[in-house]
Each structure stands twice: as C-alpha cells, then as structure tokens.
Amino acid sequence: MTLASAGVFALAVGCETRSEPYRFRAPLVGGVSAGDTFPDPRPEREATSPIARDDRDPLVAASEAIAIAATEPAGRGLAAELRGLVGRERDTGGDLDFALTVIERLGLAPIPELRAAHGGQALIDLAEARDALATERPLLGDLVVFDDYRPGEPASLVGVVVDQNDEGVAEFIYESRGIVRRGYVDPKRPAKTRGADGSARNTFVRPGRPGDPASTDYLAGELFSAFIRIDRLSE
C-alpha cells in the first residue's frame, strides 16, 4: 500500500488529534533482561560527514547516519530506552518480529492476529481491517511501514516510532540486516534529507544493490507507506 492509497484512512484516523502518549504498562528495558533479544552493540563506525544525497553508496550513507545517531545525547524515558537499542545485533526474526518484540517490551499485548501476521502485507491488511492506518501524527510505539525495501515488495520494512517533532518528522527504529538502526521520515517532504537547520528529515533505509536503476528510491520518505496505530492492534 502506497502513501496515496493509505491517505483515505487519514480521514477517519490520521486527522484525529493525538497528542496524549500511550500509557504503557512496563518499561522497555528497566526491570527485565533484554540480553538474549537485544545483545550488546557492536562498535560504531566514526562518522566523518553528515548524511546527504550525493554520489556516495546508499549503504555507506546509511551506516554513517546510524553512527551519527548513536553519538547523539539520548532523551529521557521510553524514547531513550528505544534509542538505546540502536546498534544492537539480532540473529533471527527480521524486522516485523523485532517491531512486535519492542511493542511487547513496552507492555502492550498485540492481538493474536497481529502476532500471527506473516510479513508486512498481512500487517497492512490487518491494520486496514481495524481502521488502524494513518499518514500523520504517530505516537511513540506506533508502527511505520515502508514499501520496496525489498525491490517490488510492498510493506517490506516495519519500524517502531520513537518520536515526532513539530514539523512532522518522525524518528523510528527498525531492524535491517541483523542490526537495530535508527531513521527519520518526513512523509510530506519525501526527497529532503535535511532541513534548513541541518536536522534530519529522511534517512536512507533501502540498501544499495548491484543493478539498481538510477531511478531507485532509497530515502525513508520516498518509501513511506503508512503509520499503524498500535492501540488498535493491541488488547
């Protein structure tokens, strides 16, 4: 499902005022052992330049963005807990399993249909059936879905929203190639990597692959499909 097709749901969902955060029943890491699920992070690469859409390989640019994010001061509370997962390795499960594991660590109980979903398209179908799709105003804990992370495959990358600023740029974490990563998406400005003040707007999420045509999209905003309200997929 593309941003355009998801837009119809904004009439019923995305246009609601959603400023009050969810009340989670438990912290992500505090009081529990996350060792098996989220092993200690590997050493981060030193970033030498800010991310920009230039002639660098997108995979290299994405790695630099991850390194930059890992060195930034973390905020407080659950957002800081989520950011603390960046750089950690996971051997199995994939992006959807990672997202649902984070949701459960936050203290939510996904409905059985959500845990039984196999792949992003099944997730989108379930969210559509429960009026959970939105194109704006996500809250911490909501899911964010991207198309064409794997070429030609809809809803092939799922992340978890950490925060959103006043300009509509959402921060999220996701698993890609066995590593927990941090990204930013600005659905209203899909091709912009940074704002006038240098702040991130859209980071690279799709890795470069041999044979990619020149028209290939790599930025989060270009691949954005929809946000998913997790409260409508939880018990």
Side-chain angles (χ1 to χ4, degrees), residues 6-220:
V8 295
F9 298 98
L11 297 176
V13 178
C15 292
E16 298 177 12
T17 300
R18 304 183 64 221
S19 58
E20 185 69 21
Y22 298 131
R23 296 184 179 274
F24 297 108
R25 292 194 299 268
L28 179 68
V29 176
V32 299
S33 173
D36 291 340
T37 306
F38 305 113
D40 289 337
R42 64 171 59 176
E44 295 287 349
R45 286 186 53 203
E46 181 180 356
T48 57
S49 61
I51 188 171
R53 192 159 196 183
D54 52 27
D55 58 357
R56 289 177 298 164
D57 181 273
L59 182 57
V60 174
S63 297
E64 291 185 0
I66 295 161
I68 292 170
T71 62
E72 294 174 351
R76 296 181 177 180
L78 291 174
E81 299 274 10
L82 291 172
R83 294 180 185 118
L85 300 177
V86 174
R88 300 195 180 192
E89 298 182 4
R90 297 186 81 232
D91 294 333
T92 59
D95 59 295
L96 180 56
D97 179 76
F98 166 75
L100 297 184
T101 299
V102 169
I103 295 308
E104 291 173 340
R105 294 283 178 143
L106 287 171
L108 295 177
I111 59 174
E113 296 92 333
L114 178 54
R115 258 302 177 189
H118 296 291
Q121 188 58 57
L123 172 64
I124 287 289
D125 293 343
L126 177 61
E128 180 178 351
R130 296 181 69 94
D131 292 328
L133 291 175
T135 57
E136 58 184 346
R137 286 190 280 278
L139 299 177
L140 184 150
D142 284 338
L143 303 181
V144 56
V145 181
F146 302 93
D147 294 334
D148 294 321
Y149 171 77
R150 290 183 288 273
E153 186 175 332
S156 48
L157 180 66
V158 179
V160 180
V161 172
V162 175
D163 197 4
Q164 186 181 46
N165 67 18
D166 293 338
E167 295 185 355
V169 180
E171 174 189 355
F172 61 97
I173 60 171
Y174 62 107
E175 179 185 328
S176 176
R177 304 183 301 284
I179 303 293
V180 180
R181 306 174 191 270
R182 183 184 185 188
Y184 295 88
V185 60
D186 184 351
K188 294 182 179 180
R189 306 167 188 84
K192 291 186 68 67
T193 57
R194 291 198 175 271
D197 61 354
S199 61
R201 287 197 179 277
N202 290 286
T203 49
F204 289 95
V205 293
R206 184 187 186 277
R209 298 179 174 90
D212 281 349
S215 59
T216 300
D217 292 329
Y218 298 99
L219 293 175

